[in-house]
Amino acid sequence: MKILTTIPEVRETLNAHRAAGRTVGFVPTMGALHAGHKSLMLASVPENDITIVSIFVNPLQFAPGEDLEAYPRDLETDAALCTEAGADYIFAPSVSEMYPEPIETTVSLTGVSEPLDGQSRPTHFSGVATVVTKLFSIIGSCSAYFGEKDFQQLAIIRKMSLDLSLDVRVVGCPIHRETDGLAMSSRNIYLTPEERADSVVLNQALAKGIAAIDAGETDPAAVRDLMAAHIATADSGTLDYAEVVDARTLLTPQVLSGEVRALVAVQFGKARLIDNMGTTVAVSGSA
Ligand code: AMP
């Protein structure tokens, strides 16, 4: 496993592999890697000849006052996990390698980027779309693996890749959870013991919401209220949003039907946690 730090090195290395007929799998991350990230690598390794993991804490996607400085960084431990997962390369550029001068070009989307986190973190998705476009340009033709943990982000990457005809096959991977149901996240280390104990309400609220839908509830407001009420039982958390949306548009329909996704965001002290869960509402008349 080799660590690359410059853009020309990555291009030269991966172009040589592609010229030799090898396929490339790409796992973009911000590091502080955990089993959720590893599951993306484990999806890529058997499907591709070469797997490259990027580790870059992207300043563009943090708003002033968010945790850019505090975000955990530990390249040595990350490299060990990548080796264990069978990855071939890490691309760990410096900020000045990625942004040698202030950028004047950004990528932003309408539609899927607007609701949910788009409301709570108005500059976040443009930062994500810009860095991922840049990374796709650096990596070149590949399959890229993203977690459903960041469900809206995945929808944005899919739409952006389609709209801009990017030479990337976007692959979504299931959410990896702790044994009590908390979705794994690099930010979970910010939780105090009390907040960690309370944080299971995200998963529990989603499970309740999805169970209600599976039992026949088709009113999104009723499901939202049910999930919000459960999250309110955690003293240390403050609800940002609890919503049920159409899984494709991420908009709240009048009546739930087809593929739907419940999503929640809750602030616990320094950690803003997100999670989601999906189900399919049988359209009446279908089997
Ligand atoms: P991050 O390092 O948090 O930017 O995440 C990098 C990638 O790992 C994104 O595609 C995330 O959706 C994915 N990821 C993060 N946490 C999990 C998880 N618990 N399960 C599956 N994928 C995850």
Side-chain angles (χ1 to χ4, degrees), residues 28-30 34 36-37 40 146-147 149-150 153 174-176 184:
T29 81
M30 296 207 301
H34 50 66
H37 297 112
L40 306 185
F146 291 86
K149 155 83 177 10
D150 298 276
Q153 171 177 282
I175 301 173
H176 225 73
M184 289 187 181

Side-chain angles (χ1 to χ4, degrees), residues 68-80:
L68 174 61
E69 280 79 33
Y71 200 85
R73 292 160 170 90
D74 183 352
L75 187 55
E76 211 175 300
T77 309
D78 287 349

Side-chain angles (χ1 to χ4, degrees), residues 3-287:
I3 299 181
L4 309 174
T5 56
T6 70
I7 295 169
E9 255 183 312
V10 172
R11 288 215 165 107
E12 203 178 302
T13 304
L14 297 182
N15 283 342
H17 282 301
R18 277 184 293 257
R22 297 185 197 106
T23 58
V24 174
F26 173 42
V27 180
T29 81
M30 296 207 301
L33 302 178
H34 50 66
H37 297 112
K38 191 174 176 184
S39 71
L40 306 185
M41 297 175 215
L42 294 176
S44 171
V45 167
E47 287 185 8
N48 300 281
D49 299 312
I50 297 295
T51 291
I52 180 162
V53 179
S54 67
I55 296 180
F56 180 61
V57 182
N58 172 37
L60 282 192
Q61 69 191 68
F62 291 77
E66 289 189 351
D67 57 340
L68 174 61
E69 280 79 33
Y71 200 85
R73 292 160 170 90
D74 183 352
L75 187 55
E76 211 175 300
T77 309
D78 287 349
L81 186 138
C82 293
T83 304
E84 224 177 80
D88 302 283
Y89 299 98
I90 289 176
F91 175 42
S94 62
V95 172
S96 61
E97 178 70 13
M98 286 295 275
Y99 303 116
E101 50 182 272
I103 58 166
E104 296 177 356
T105 308
T106 56
V107 178
S108 54
L109 294 84
T110 53
V112 284
S113 77
E114 287 169 354
L116 306 164
D117 271 22
Q119 295 293 309
S120 312
R121 304 179 75 194
T123 58
H124 173 64
F125 285 132
S126 170
V128 171
T130 302
V131 79
V132 173
T133 303
K134 234 173 126 72
L135 287 167
F136 283 178
S137 155
I138 295 162
I139 300 294
S141 179
C142 66
S143 295
Y145 297 78
F146 291 86
E148 288 186 347
K149 155 83 177 10
D150 298 276
F151 191 77
Q152 188 172 12
Q153 171 177 282
L154 174 58
I156 286 166
I157 306 292
R158 283 192 200 285
K159 183 72 174 108
M160 175 186 100
S161 302
L162 186 73
D163 287 353
L164 301 179
S165 306
L166 302 180
D167 191 11
V168 174
R169 183 177 74 101
V170 177
V171 184
C173 301
I175 301 173
H176 225 73
R177 299 178 178 284
E178 304 287 355
T179 45
D180 64 1
L182 175 65
M184 289 187 181
S185 164
S186 307
R187 291 189 165 99
N188 290 350
I189 58 153
Y190 298 152
L191 297 168
T192 65
E194 188 207 349
E195 289 160 357
R196 174 64 188 84
D198 281 353
S199 64
V200 291
V201 292
L202 277 87
N203 181 244
Q204 290 169 347
L206 290 166
K208 276 191 164 198
I210 294 296
I213 297 168
D214 289 344
E217 182 59 76
T218 57
D219 176 8
V223 181
R224 179 201 305 148
D225 291 348
L226 191 72
M227 295 195 296
H230 186 73
I231 288 166
T233 64
D235 290 339
S236 64
T238 308
L239 180 69
D240 180 349
Y241 62 74
E243 297 288 344
V244 195
V245 299
D246 179 293
R248 206 179 44 83
T249 63
L250 303 190
L251 296 175
T252 308
Q254 293 282 344
V255 176
L256 297 173
S257 78
E259 224 192 298
V260 299
R261 204 85 187 181
L263 302 101
V264 294
V266 185
Q267 188 78 41
F268 284 96
K270 284 189 236 149
R272 182 174 180 279
L273 305 185
I274 58 172
D275 198 355
N276 67 85
M277 212 176 271
T279 190
T280 304
V281 180
V283 180
S284 55
S286 69

